[in-house]
């Protein structure tokens, strides 16, 4: 009985403490967030929606009828997750290519007016990336670790994240370097080409006009 | 009885848990985006933001309480800043990013809102007794690595800014050069055509009878 209560408190505090930040979204509005992450990184998003109730002039504690459409796109603009979740929940995905992933949220319902809302919905959101997404309580229970072992495990996870980010940094620097080399090449060849075309056009003009005037017997 | 005390300790412990939210979002031109968070009394809060891409990399930022009465931080056209405050009572704080001064540059803004400054092991409750030396060392290493990760994040954002600019430059060079090439051709041929038209014989005008 006491154990149940304990777990209950943990759960309650778990949910309330991770969903601190919120913002407002309109009915047809689409809110997108960008996460630039290395590959093989897990991302967990927790969200909770609340509809505005005209009657009480405040936000209803929960709105079971409104669903949330979550769409995640990878750096090549390919959709890797597109699902409709209930009004409160979490979505997870793991990146397979490094780069900018975009996470878009929008309401799948156009009948807000039916629920007494006037085009305003409150969305609590929390996106955890990489090491922050780990639930150490679960890990401790699964692997039966003491607290010291758990702390060391957390340090190991953090250092792994630092390593992954540095690898990603190398990849990004290479892309930047390639783009700069590309620009250099383009400037070189286009300038050359423009000079050549200018000279060629000039010569052609003079030759053509000379022939034209000679034909007209003006020269 | 012991379990109840444990529950109480854990309840109190959770009140001091670090809650950090970092998000990167797109702010269209002429738009404003606001975020809200409820903060307990006495918890030190830090808001850090950086404009990653767009225009002159600047944005208007305002941090106030939920009904706009008490404005704690208000800056115009800032590229990067960090602001720390400690609320005197539990209330909802609102911070807004505004791009209303810009007509066509949409910006990408990164922000990090940290609440509380104690970082307990996520998911595990507080200690009933003091930490051993090993555990204290672990905590300080954890804090140092967190700083490393923070530096890496800022480095990544700066690099992103530079890389996006470089890619735009590359595209721009390509299209403008191709355009100028074509314009040179058109102007060259056009000049000849116009000149020729000056010297073509006019149609014989009919004389007056």
């Amino acid at each position: 009985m006491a154990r149940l209560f304990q777990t209950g408190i943990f759960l309650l505090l778990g949910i309330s403490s991770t969903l601190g930040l919120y913002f407002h979204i309109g009915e047809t509005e689409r809110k997108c967030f960008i996460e630039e992450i290395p590959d093989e990184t897990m991302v967990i998003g927790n969200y909770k929606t609340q509809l505005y109730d005209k009657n009480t002039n405040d936000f209803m504690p929960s709105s079971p009828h409104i669903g949330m459409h979550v769409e995640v796109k990878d750096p090549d603009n390919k959709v890797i997750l597109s699902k409709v979740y209930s009004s409160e929940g979490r979505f997870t995905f793991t990146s397979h290519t490094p780069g900018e992933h975009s996470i878009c949220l929008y309401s799948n319902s156009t009948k807000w007016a039916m629920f007494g809302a006037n085009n305003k919905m409150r969305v609590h959101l929390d996106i955890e990336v990489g090491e922050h997404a780990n639930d150490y309580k679960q890990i401790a229970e699964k692997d039966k670790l003491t607290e010291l072992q758990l702390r060391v495990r957390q340090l190991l996870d953090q250092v792994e994240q630092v390593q992954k980010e540095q690898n990603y940094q190398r990849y990004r620097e290479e892309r930047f370097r390639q783009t700069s080399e590309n620009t250099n090449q383009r400037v070189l060849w286009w300038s050359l080409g423009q000079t050549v075309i200018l000279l060629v056009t000039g010569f052609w003009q003079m030759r053509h006009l000379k022939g034209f005037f000679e034909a007209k017997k003006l020269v | 009885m012991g379990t109840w005390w444990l529950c109480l300790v854990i309840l109190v412990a959770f009140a001091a848990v670090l809650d950090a939210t970092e998000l990167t979002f797109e702010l269209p031109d002429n738009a404003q985006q606001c975020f809200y968070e409820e903060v307990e009394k006495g918890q030190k809060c830090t808001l850090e933001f950086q404009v990653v891409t767009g225009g002159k990399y600047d944005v208007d930022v305002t941090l106030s309480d939920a009904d706009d009465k008490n404005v704690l931080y208000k800056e115009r056209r800032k590229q990067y800043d960090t602001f720390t405050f400690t609320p005197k009572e539990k209330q909802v704080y609102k911070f807004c990013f505004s791009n209303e001064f810009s007509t066509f540059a949409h910006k990408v803004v990164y922000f990090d809102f940290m609440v509380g400054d104690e970082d307990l092991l996520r998911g595990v409750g507080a200690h009933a007794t003091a930490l051993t030396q090993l555990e204290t060392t672990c905590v300080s290493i954890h804090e140092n690595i967190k700083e490393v990760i923070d530096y890496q994040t800022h480095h990544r954002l700066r690099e992103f800014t530079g890389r996006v600019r470089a890619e735009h430059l590359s595209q721009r060079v390509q299209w403008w050069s191709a355009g100028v090439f074509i314009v040179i051709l058109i102007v060259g041929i056009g000049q000849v055509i116009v000149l020729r038209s000056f010297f073509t014989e006019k149609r014989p005008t009919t004389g007056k009878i």
Side-chain angles (χ1 to χ4, degrees), chain B residues 32-170:
Chain B
Q32 191 195 51
Q33 176 69 36
C34 293
F35 294 90
Y36 307 78
E37 178 142 9
E38 186 171 0
V39 185
E40 301 282 335
K41 168 181 160 178
Q43 281 189 315
K44 188 171 84 162
C45 303
T46 308
L47 172 67
E48 195 176 5
F49 67 92
Q50 184 172 350
V51 181
V52 181
T53 62
K56 288 199 169 48
Y57 307 112
D58 50 2
V59 74
D60 294 344
V61 183
T62 315
L63 171 64
S64 62
D65 57 8
D67 27 2
D68 287 327
K69 269 202 292 246
N70 195 14
V71 176
L72 292 163
Y73 175 85
K74 188 179 165 85
E75 286 286 340
R76 297 183 55 80
R77 313 268 193 136
K78 262 296 206 182
Q79 204 252 320
Y80 165 83
D81 206 0
T82 163
F83 178 73
T84 309
F85 66 98
T86 310
K88 293 193 183 52
E89 53 188 19
K90 171 172 164 169
Q91 58 176 225
V92 174
Y93 281 96
K94 157 171 117 164
F95 51 98
C96 295
F97 299 95
S98 166
N99 196 20
E100 279 153 352
F101 56 83
S102 171
T103 32
F104 55 86
H106 65 256
K107 314 253 160 85
V108 172
V109 180
Y110 159 90
F111 74 87
D112 188 7
F113 191 72
M114 291 166 277
V115 175
D117 58 2
E118 241 184 79
D119 185 23
L120 302 170
L121 210 54
R122 186 80 64 85
V124 177
H127 244 253
T129 60
L131 300 171
T132 69
Q133 194 180 27
L134 266 174
E135 284 168 347
T136 322
T137 315
C138 279
V139 169
S140 70
I141 296 178
H142 177 70
E143 294 294 318
N144 285 335
I145 300 183
K146 258 201 342 199
E147 267 210 47
V148 170
I149 292 178
D150 195 38
Y151 275 121
Q152 278 190 323
T153 304
H154 284 291
H155 180 60
R156 172 170 50 88
L157 294 172
R158 289 235 180 270
E159 187 272 343
F160 181 71
T161 308
R163 185 164 35 97
V164 166
R165 256 289 183 253
E167 280 170 6
H168 277 167
L169 181 68
S170 190

Side-chain angles (χ1 to χ4, degrees), chain A residues 22 31 34 100 205 208, chain B residues 24 33 36 160 188 191 196:
Chain A
Y22 62 87
K31 272 279 174 290
I34 300 167
E100 272 168 64
Q205 277 183 331
H208 185 94
Chain B
T24 311
Q33 176 69 36
Y36 307 78
F160 181 71
Q191 278 178 332
R196 276 172 71 123

Side-chain angles (χ1 to χ4, degrees), chain A residues 181-195, chain B residues 173 177:
Chain A
E181 301 267 350
N182 227 356
T183 309
N184 191 26
Q185 291 286 9
R186 281 178 185 177
V187 165
L188 181 69
W189 289 114
W190 277 112
S191 307
L192 229 60
Q194 284 170 0
T195 313
Chain B
V173 162
S177 306

